[in-house]
Amino acid sequence: MNWYGFNMLWMFSSDGKEGSKCPASVHIDENDLDFIASMGCNFIRLPVDYRFILHDFKYDQPDEAMLKVLDRCVYAIVSRGLHCSLNVHRAPGYCINGNELERDNLWTDKIAQDAFTDLWKLLALRYASYSPKQLSFDLLNEPPSVGQYGLTRENHKAIMSRVVSEIRKISPERTIVCDGLGGGHQACPELADLGVVLSGRGYMPMRLTHFQAEWMKKNGSYDWDYPKWPGMKCDGIEWSRDALLEFYKPWKALADGGSRVHIGECGCYNKVTNETALAWYKDFFSVLNQLDFGFALWNFRGPFGVAEHRRSGTNWEVRNGITFDRDLYELFVQSMKQ
């Protein structure tokens, strides 16, 4: 899966309040898309919080005005020749961030499973005119680990299989993506027979890529030792390029077995020096290049991105009003296989 690009965060998180229920709450960064296309990228992942579309747990009452905003997001991407991978980042009954905000449980409650399926049927019908080259469907962002919130590999496969079947009734050729378990890191060989793209993550070791990340504070991110690359020790591993190759062995096995594998999110947060980040990126990109896995940084403009990440010691350049990391830009472009 030689898809290379970025996640665009225009609709990835809604607080569910009135202000996020109006079209003006979503800003589409078309200048960023132009820059990304000029890099030679071919892929944008578009994470979406269902609460932009379905309000107050009224799962059968989609907001047409907000669906039209989503229409504009998809069109802005594909009109530039970029593939759009439409992802449900928060689904009825589950999200990796703030799961406690959900009333229902996707893994155990029929009402949530029905709502999740119906949402994808709605999207499949709405975007049926887009070709598989233009648009794919990434069903659910980062399911939890086995045992968390009642998830098992069996009920996860059953739910994903149901949605895949419903989408293919509408668009038989649509490319469908399923994220790995455990926040996207754990391979799912049991999904291989669905004929879907299997999407992993590029955040290992987390104590480097998420050092002092605010949303990881409860996991001790502010107390971790300052990371180095290579050679840092955590999770019982001395991390290096070879350790990254070892981490991706289950994903390589899927690819060797005929599955399509893509790394749908990756990146390093901005609390380490740019020298450290670049050393990690150089090895990380070379590993994915060796495995022939495409990738998408979590964001383009922001703390995980190429533009305006604000890491210290960066070689900045300005082009078309965008301040970007020239060295990371070069690493990214050199790592793309077309």
Side-chain angles (χ1 to χ4, degrees):
M1 293 305 298
N2 290 331
W3 283 338
Y4 298 95
F6 300 88
N7 286 254
M8 303 306 283
L9 311 188
W10 310 325
M11 296 186 73
F12 103 96
S13 184
S14 161
D15 59 13
K17 297 178 181 178
E18 290 303 319
S20 64
K21 297 177 184 179
C22 66
S25 66
V26 177
H27 173 65
I28 302 172
D29 299 301
E30 299 204 40
N31 190 44
D32 288 1
L33 291 176
D34 291 335
F35 188 100
I36 290 166
S38 75
M39 291 175 64
C41 296
N42 58 7
F43 177 86
I44 296 292
R45 186 170 180 259
L46 183 63
V48 175
D49 183 337
Y50 84 95
R51 295 175 300 172
F52 280 109
I53 298 166
L54 304 172
H55 308 312
D56 305 319
F57 306 111
K58 297 173 183 175
Y59 299 139
D60 61 347
Q61 298 179 34
D63 184 334
E64 180 62 23
M66 293 306 294
L67 281 167
K68 288 179 178 176
V69 174
L70 183 57
D71 295 345
R72 295 200 295 273
C73 292
V74 172
Y75 179 77
I77 294 166
V78 301
S79 65
R80 288 162 169 82
L82 298 164
H83 178 90
C84 176
S85 186
L86 180 58
N87 164 247
V88 171
H89 186 272
R90 175 179 288 272
Y94 176 72
C95 185
I96 193 168
N97 305 117
N99 186 72
E100 69 280 359
L101 300 175
E102 293 302 308
R103 185 191 68 185
D104 306 307
N105 185 320
L106 178 61
W107 313 112
T108 61
D109 296 345
K110 183 177 185 296
I111 187 173
Q113 294 166 11
D114 289 348
F116 181 58
T117 305
D118 288 344
L119 175 60
W120 272 115
K121 288 165 65 176
L122 170 69
L123 297 173
L125 286 166
R126 193 172 188 94
Y127 300 120
S129 64
Y130 283 103
S131 72
K133 183 177 180 180
Q134 293 173 311
L135 180 68
S136 60
F137 292 155
D138 183 344
L139 299 187
L140 179 67
N141 182 70
E142 299 180 357
S145 298
V146 171
Q148 192 174 16
Y149 308 123
L151 177 138
T152 66
R153 286 189 179 264
E154 291 74 21
N155 65 17
H156 172 254
K157 181 174 181 178
I159 293 165
M160 297 303 124
S161 298
R162 177 185 175 187
V163 177
V164 167
S165 176
E166 293 298 329
I167 290 171
R168 287 181 175 156
K169 289 176 185 177
I170 298 164
S171 295
E173 303 302 317
R174 181 71 60 210
T175 300
I176 299 173
V177 181
C178 287
D179 290 6
L181 301 183
H185 290 99
Q186 299 167 8
C188 295
E190 67 274 11
L191 301 186
D193 61 355
L194 295 181
V196 297
V197 176
L198 299 168
S199 179
R201 293 295 176 267
Y203 293 128
M204 299 303 288
M206 294 285 285
R207 290 195 176 207
L208 186 152
T209 66
H210 285 63
F211 180 68
Q212 293 190 354
E214 294 82 358
W215 63 96
M216 296 282 288
K217 189 173 183 178
K218 64 182 179 181
N219 301 101
S221 64
Y222 279 73
D223 301 319
W224 296 339
D225 292 338
Y226 189 86
K228 64 177 182 178
W229 188 266
M232 67 178 298
K233 297 179 181 180
C234 60
D235 307 317
I237 299 170
E238 183 170 335
W239 285 94
S240 63
R241 185 184 187 279
D242 287 343
L244 287 175
L245 273 172
E246 183 71 21
F247 173 79
Y248 284 111
K249 272 188 176 179
W251 296 92
K252 183 179 185 298
L254 287 171
D256 289 345
S259 294
R260 296 167 291 173
V261 174
H262 185 254
I263 305 304
E265 288 185 24
C266 57
C268 180
Y269 199 53
N270 65 1
K271 294 301 191 293
V272 298
T273 65
N274 210 43
E275 180 182 12
T276 301
L278 289 171
W280 176 82
Y281 273 117
K282 182 178 180 180
D283 283 343
F284 172 69
F285 286 155
S286 73
V287 164
L288 297 193
N289 196 268
Q290 178 178 330
L291 297 172
D292 204 20
F293 295 169
F295 55 85
L297 291 191
W298 168 239
N299 53 11
F300 169 71
R301 185 195 297 264
F304 284 96
V306 167
E308 300 179 6
H309 56 61
R310 299 184 180 180
R311 278 191 291 271
S312 62
T314 298
N315 175 23
W316 295 112
E317 186 172 319
V318 180
R319 184 193 302 166
N320 297 333
I322 295 173
T323 302
F324 65 97
D325 180 338
R326 183 72 207 190
D327 298 323
L328 179 53
Y329 173 99
E330 292 293 342
L331 277 177
F332 188 109
V333 170
Q334 291 166 11
S335 300
M336 293 191 290
K337 288 184 177 182
Q338 300 292 356

